[in-house]
Amino acid sequence: MANYLNLKAAKLHEDRDPIQSLWRNVLIVALEDAIKDRRYIDGCYQPLYAKNIKQSAVEYFTEPNADFALVCQYAGFDHTQVRSKVTKYLQGIK
């Protein structure tokens, strides 16, 4: 039984593409920037800086741009579907 579990775990690990995972994490961080209210950066209160980061991240997802499409492609996603879902989510949390 243990050998089966080890083989299954090894198979799951082999199926993961590290480059695709990297680009998916880029999208995750951008989404966190669009959602989170980061008022403290390095222990300092930065309202204007945080507001600019958040607005820039929201625009990254909601306004068509070639960089977003390329990152989605590298991540293995369709950029139009990602944009649509994130836009709907962002509209729901306002």
Side-chain angles (χ1 to χ4, degrees):
M1 180 72 168
N3 287 338
Y4 170 75
L5 293 176
N6 288 338
L7 290 173
K8 186 175 180 182
K11 177 70 173 148
L12 286 174
H13 182 69
E14 289 173 9
D15 290 344
R16 292 187 183 160
D17 179 3
I19 296 171
Q20 192 176 59
S21 294
L22 169 72
W23 290 108
R24 288 180 180 193
N25 281 311
V26 168
L27 289 171
I28 290 168
V29 171
L31 185 58
E32 286 176 347
D33 287 345
I35 294 171
K36 289 183 179 179
D37 186 15
R38 296 184 183 206
R39 295 176 186 241
Y40 294 96
I41 299 170
D42 295 330
C44 300
Y45 184 68
Q46 304 286 334
L48 182 59
Y49 179 70
K51 183 179 178 183
N52 290 340
I53 289 175
K54 185 171 186 164
Q55 183 60 35
S56 177
V58 168
E59 290 171 1
Y60 180 72
F61 283 101
T62 58
E63 295 180 10
N65 64 75
D67 288 341
F68 179 75
L70 189 59
V71 169
C72 287
Q73 179 184 345
Y74 289 159
F77 297 132
D78 176 17
H79 68 95
T80 56
Q81 288 182 342
V82 173
R83 177 170 284 113
S84 175
K85 289 183 180 198
V86 171
T87 300
K88 286 179 186 175
Y89 180 79
L90 291 173
Q91 289 172 347
I93 63 171
K94 286 185 178 181

